[in-house]
Amino acid sequence: MSKLRFDVVQDAFKKKAVEIDTPATRPEDYFGCLTFNREKMYKYLDAKTYQALIDVIDNGMTLDLKTADKVAEGMKTWAMENGVTHVTHWFQPLTEGTAEKHDSFMEYDGKGGMVEEFTGKSLIQQEPDASSFPNGGIRATFEARGYTAWDPTSPVFIQDDTLCIPTVFISYTGDALDYKTPLKKALKAVNDAALPICRLFDPKVKKVYSYLGWEQEYFLVDEDLYAARPDLMLCGRTLMGHSSSKNQQLDDHYFGAIPSRVAAFMRDIEIAGYKLGIPLKTRHNEVAPNQFELAPIYGETNLSNDQNQMIMNVMNTIARKHGFVVLFHEKPFDGINGSGKHNNWSLGTDTGTLLLAPGKDAKGNLQFVTFFVNVLAAVQKYNGLLKASIATATNAHRLGANEAPPAIVSAFLGKTMTDVLKKLMDVPSDTPIEIAGKKGRSVGLVEIPEIFVDNTDRNRTSPFAFTGNRFEFRAVGSSANCAGAMTTLNAAVAEQLIEFKAAVDAEMASGKPCNVAIMDCLKPIIKSIINVVCFDGNGYSDEWKVEAAKRGLDVETNVPKMIKCFTEEKAVNMFTKLGIYSKVELEARNEVKWETYSKKVQIEARVMGRMATNHIIPAALEYQSKLLKNIKLMQTAFPEDYKDMVATQMDIVKEISRRVNDITVKVDAMIEARKAANKIEDEYEKALAYHEIAESLFAIRRPIDKLEEIVDNNTWPLPKYREILFIN
């Protein structure tokens, strides 16, 4: 092993767990202490201001500037008590990350001194430079004005010495430049569409909520090993590396004992999350070595999405304190599981009814089936668009491999619900709907009580699986902003519900009772979806790919082509009709996605070429030189019969030459392809060209990984999988 690599690996193995900063109190005592939640509002605002702000949050009322000043003053008082000196509008541009510009509270007092001040105007709106954020041509570089505006429905929070205000981000022309703006519009659309249907069952319903529970998968690697891998540092994944003899094949990491260093990291994450009001619930080892997961209790979609962005930032910071780096890339290591961000999605009402859970009686079951079937209809109609909502250069490596769902959006129902839907097609429309609940099942041991089994199983290969009271959109990538997928899903469901309500109204106008009208409208939808989008089998099989194409599902695997779904006529009509995106915004976002795709592949191609040239080939030639010197010495020592004695060395020398030549030819071809792609001005055509370059990287990797097996371990310059993937 090279001296540098030996030192790096040894340092990584010597790491010890950092002392856990455990508060003296229980989590419930400090939960939300760094958020300006309702408890803080009640304490720091007068009664009139408090009620006005609650009306804004709960009822969508407008906040006047005078009231905003009082809210800002209360926030400032609370923030300063917690050591805050700065404030920022915290937003989510089209970079998949978050952005912030910090301003201090300091202002001139008019007397030659300074005073700390925070006004309602500063709370409600700021003006960051919008020129350098991705915008897809909506704004020219010399037209830099952009605005952030406070989203009162997501609590203000403290990060270090800064008061962070969640905001939307729009251009001077009013076009959305972020993820939050369209998400909030989609949530309004699904509420407006679902509410009239809910009132057919319960007139007291006043609001419908979209719920999101994300499951965040991630990898941890030692920061020393990370720093020794240029591909990890610059691309977030390994572009080369032979698989370890042992990886995940024994399934011994999944739900195994959490390594002490990782447990300390997880505990610090939970403490930080609780302080920020993030209800983290679950932590465990995932399937691949060094892969882990955390998940919260589900919550309202907009807030839950903000919390996911917050916790990802926190994870990056805390990981460094423990000697780790977090990898959110969907496929950082070849041959083992990648990381997703499973989005558990549901709808519920302000009366406490979960619309995607079976009811307690026939009426409740009819309401459940109504929403259940319409969600499936929306997924069927927009399966290609939903896939486009999660399509990225990084997620493309994950889909369809090692437990990740395939690049075909279908829905898993389970036997119970499949049987229910098939039965409903053939019974009279006024037949009460019965749905089996959980069943007791004996383990066969007297001392073990019956286990209550759900009415659905799990299908790890399904991108959109029903899991009893929600759907799990499993195809979302680990690094993604959930808002992209959630905007598309809620929008598609909203359009479907609007069309369904119009059909029911027409049936009821002809004199049919409400329940009969609903069932008469559901039956043709069930017939349409049951053998198309509904699929409970193995999504990995080649047979399914053929079958899915026959069913009319989108089977495209080329990411730039997937993205084009957003500007197809039916998608544009749907988004514009619901007021979520304008056509200009959709076209701009496609430009951003194609440009981002090209840049990410371009970076990988550059890193691959330089690592091959500067790391791999020199190491291979150095080892080859050692062999040739050995052969020369053998010839001197045994001039008569040295040829037989050095036959193995000669074979290795020749093998190295073949592999080095193969790498050189392929790298040169890739570089020429990259130069040609860079000359293409149209972003879509450029992305298509870079898709081919991305495919060529696999061909370059193969001979490199073969050389890793051949070259002396002391000479190989990069930390290997067996060294990176196992935390002590």
Side-chain angles (χ1 to χ4, degrees):
M1 188 184 298
S2 67
K3 181 67 167 61
L4 173 62
R5 194 168 116 242
F6 177 81
D7 291 342
V8 167
V9 173
Q10 285 296 103
D11 287 345
F13 285 166
K14 290 176 183 177
K15 297 283 186 182
K16 293 185 178 180
V18 176
E19 288 296 319
I20 302 173
D21 179 23
T22 307
T25 56
R26 301 296 300 166
E28 58 265 27
D29 296 324
Y30 61 87
F31 185 82
C33 67
L34 295 182
T35 63
F36 197 70
N37 54 24
R38 297 192 185 216
E39 178 189 357
K40 312 294 191 320
M41 294 175 195
Y42 188 81
K43 179 179 178 180
Y44 289 91
L45 305 178
D46 62 74
K48 184 177 179 181
T49 303
Y50 171 80
Q51 190 54 56
L53 183 53
I54 294 301
D55 279 344
V56 171
I57 296 170
D58 290 346
N59 305 317
M61 302 298 289
T62 302
L63 193 70
D64 63 84
L65 189 56
K66 184 177 179 181
T67 304
D69 281 333
K70 293 181 178 179
V71 173
E73 184 60 33
M75 283 183 181
K76 187 193 77 169
T77 301
W78 166 71
M80 290 177 63
E81 289 177 2
N82 285 275
V84 167
T85 58
H86 287 68
V87 62
T88 184
H89 273 201
W90 181 85
F91 57 100
Q92 301 167 34
L94 303 179
T95 58
E96 298 290 346
T98 59
E100 50 199 61
K101 180 189 75 169
H102 297 195
D103 292 319
S104 74
F105 286 141
M106 301 303 290
E107 297 287 350
Y108 281 119
D109 65 358
K111 303 174 183 178
M114 303 293 290
V115 63
E116 290 184 296
E117 184 178 272
F118 183 47
T119 66
K121 184 178 179 181
S122 298
L123 167 64
I124 291 174
Q125 180 178 311
Q126 282 189 0
E127 185 186 327
D129 185 338
S131 63
S132 295
F133 290 108
N135 61 68
I138 286 179
R139 304 292 291 148
T141 300
F142 60 86
E143 298 171 319
R145 203 177 293 276
Y147 299 98
T148 51
W150 177 34
D151 173 16
T153 63
S154 187
V156 169
F157 62 96
I158 293 173
Q159 181 176 273
D160 298 323
D161 64 352
T162 304
L163 184 67
C164 300
I165 302 167
T167 63
V168 299
F169 180 42
I170 62 172
S171 72
Y172 180 78
T173 54
D175 296 304
L177 297 175
D178 66 341
Y179 281 99
K180 181 183 274 283
T181 303
L183 175 62
K184 288 183 68 66
K185 291 179 178 180
L187 298 179
K188 180 182 183 301
V190 81
N191 168 72
D192 293 347
L195 194 55
I197 297 176
C198 288
R199 286 177 174 166
L200 295 175
F201 298 93
D202 182 0
K204 296 191 293 294
V205 175
K206 295 180 181 178
K207 193 167 186 178
V208 174
Y209 298 95
S210 167
Y211 293 114
L212 167 65
W214 40 265
E215 301 171 21
Q216 180 70 61
E217 294 178 333
Y218 60 95
F219 280 83
L220 289 177
V221 295
D222 282 292
E223 60 182 346
D224 296 333
L225 298 175
Y226 171 84
R229 294 281 313 215
D231 46 1
L232 276 181
M233 292 183 66
L234 299 178
C235 307
R237 76 178 181 108
T238 54
L239 299 175
M240 55 193 69
H242 199 282
S243 60
S244 173
S245 300
K246 178 185 182 296
N247 46 56
Q248 68 184 45
Q249 65 265 52
L250 295 179
D251 299 321
D252 53 345
H253 189 258
Y254 191 46
F255 282 18
I258 300 172
S260 58
R261 287 177 59 207
V262 178
F265 161 77
M266 289 177 168
R267 179 61 177 152
D268 279 356
I269 291 297
E270 288 176 346
I271 292 169
Y274 293 154
K275 289 180 178 179
L276 290 168
I278 303 173
L280 297 175
K281 179 74 172 177
T282 301
R283 65 186 186 194
H284 63 83
N285 290 4
E286 257 299 335
V287 175
N290 280 25
Q291 187 186 33
F292 308 94
E293 180 182 296
L294 59 81
I297 301 170
Y298 76 91
E300 186 275 325
T301 297
N302 176 53
L303 175 58
S304 184
N305 183 63
D306 281 359
Q307 290 176 339
N308 180 246
Q309 294 297 303
M310 291 160 63
I311 206 66
M312 289 173 74
N313 290 338
V314 169
M315 290 169 71
N316 281 323
T317 301
I318 292 180
R320 291 290 189 170
K321 296 179 180 178
H322 290 264
F324 292 128
V325 173
V326 180
L327 301 180
F328 289 116
H329 193 290
E330 284 75 12
K331 195 73 170 178
F333 302 101
D334 187 50
I336 60 175
N337 279 21
S339 295
K341 179 147 44 192
H342 308 154
N343 281 201
N344 293 279
W345 172 85
S346 190
L347 296 172
T349 71
D350 60 333
T351 61
T353 300
L354 202 56
L355 297 175
L356 292 175
K360 297 179 180 179
D361 53 27
K363 183 179 180 182
N365 283 335
L366 179 58
Q367 178 174 253
F368 158 62
V369 170
T370 297
F371 282 94
F372 182 78
V373 169
N374 277 285
V375 168
L376 293 172
V379 172
Q380 176 166 302
K381 182 176 181 180
Y382 290 109
N383 70 95
L385 186 65
L386 286 168
K387 183 168 65 175
S389 75
I390 54 88
T392 64
T394 54
N395 204 21
H397 295 294
R398 164 181 167 260
L399 296 180
N402 301 99
E403 278 203 7
I408 302 168
V409 174
S410 62
F412 169 81
L413 308 188
K415 185 177 186 304
T416 298
M417 288 311 303
T418 299
D419 290 345
V420 167
L421 294 190
K422 288 181 177 179
K423 181 179 178 181
L424 289 178
M425 288 192 292
D426 299 323
V427 299
S429 294
D430 59 354
T431 303
I433 300 175
E434 296 181 0
I435 299 174
K438 293 187 178 183
K439 299 178 180 178
R441 179 166 296 171
S442 173
V443 181
L445 297 170
V446 175
E447 65 271 25
I448 305 295
E450 279 191 329
I451 292 175
F452 286 94
V453 180
D454 288 286
N455 58 16
T456 63
D457 202 345
R458 300 291 294 275
N459 189 323
R460 311 296 290 181
T461 71
S462 176
F464 199 78
F466 181 62
T467 57
N469 58 11
R470 64 193 182 278
F471 282 97
E472 185 181 11
F473 194 5
R474 292 177 53 81
V476 183
S478 175
S479 65
N481 187 313
C482 299
M486 290 295 98
T487 298
T488 303
L489 176 57
N490 282 284
V493 171
E495 184 194 60
Q496 175 61 30
L497 291 175
I498 291 170
E499 293 177 0
F500 180 78
K501 180 59 167 59
V504 171
D505 287 346
E507 292 292 324
M508 291 176 65
S510 68
K512 292 182 180 180
C514 180
N515 63 322
V516 174
I518 290 173
M519 276 307 306
D520 282 350
C521 292
L522 286 175
K523 284 182 177 181
I525 300 176
I526 295 171
K527 186 176 181 180
S528 170
I529 64 174
I530 196 68
N531 292 316
V532 180
V533 75
C534 302
F535 176 67
D536 288 0
N538 180 8
Y540 287 164
S541 68
D542 291 334
E543 292 80 6
W544 168 234
K545 296 174 185 176
V546 175
E547 173 65 22
K550 289 180 180 178
R551 293 186 182 193
L553 297 177
D554 190 309
V555 297
E556 182 60 65
T557 58
N558 182 309
V559 169
K561 291 181 179 178
M562 291 182 198
I563 293 169
K564 212 168 189 181
C565 286
F566 275 98
T567 48
E568 290 179 351
E569 184 178 2
K570 72 174 183 178
V572 173
N573 290 341
M574 183 262 287
F575 282 123
T576 56
K577 181 172 60 179
L578 295 173
I580 296 169
Y581 293 117
S582 67
K583 185 177 181 182
V584 169
E585 288 173 324
L586 287 168
E587 291 171 344
R589 281 165 194 262
N590 273 14
E591 290 286 308
V592 170
K593 290 181 179 183
W594 287 324
E595 183 181 7
T596 301
Y597 179 89
S598 296
K599 287 180 177 179
K600 286 190 174 182
V601 177
Q602 180 188 67
I603 291 169
E604 288 191 351
R606 285 175 171 173
V607 172
M608 172 67 91
R610 289 167 185 171
M611 286 183 70
T613 302
N614 300 330
H615 291 74
I616 305 306
I617 291 177
L621 295 180
E622 179 183 345
Y623 181 56
Q624 187 182 57
S625 296
K626 291 179 181 178
L627 292 175
L628 289 171
K629 289 177 182 178
N630 176 262
I631 291 170
K632 185 68 175 176
L633 290 172
M634 292 292 287
Q635 183 180 10
T636 302
F638 306 100
E640 300 296 330
D641 50 2
Y642 83 95
K643 289 184 179 180
D644 290 338
M645 301 174 69
V646 299
T648 298
Q649 291 96 311
M650 285 301 300
D651 288 342
I652 296 174
V653 166
K654 293 175 183 177
E655 177 73 2
I656 290 173
S657 292
R658 285 195 296 270
R659 298 295 181 184
V660 167
N661 290 339
D662 191 18
I663 293 168
T664 302
V665 169
K666 288 174 178 175
V667 167
D668 289 345
M670 179 268 290
I671 291 172
E672 291 304 312
R674 198 177 72 225
K675 289 178 180 177
N678 291 339
K679 295 177 182 178
I680 301 173
E681 294 186 2
D682 181 84
E683 291 296 347
Y684 174 62
E685 294 298 329
K686 180 183 286 188
L688 289 178
Y690 265 106
H691 173 74
E692 297 303 317
I693 293 171
E695 294 297 311
S696 75
L697 299 186
F698 294 104
I700 298 172
R701 176 178 188 146
R702 281 192 289 271
I704 292 175
D705 289 354
K706 288 294 184 182
L707 282 176
E708 184 181 318
E709 286 195 298
I710 297 170
V711 172
D712 173 21
N713 193 52
N714 292 329
T715 307
W716 194 254
L718 303 173
K720 299 182 177 182
Y721 274 20
R722 68 169 184 262
E723 296 157 352
I724 299 174
L725 281 174
F726 298 94
I727 293 172
N728 284 350

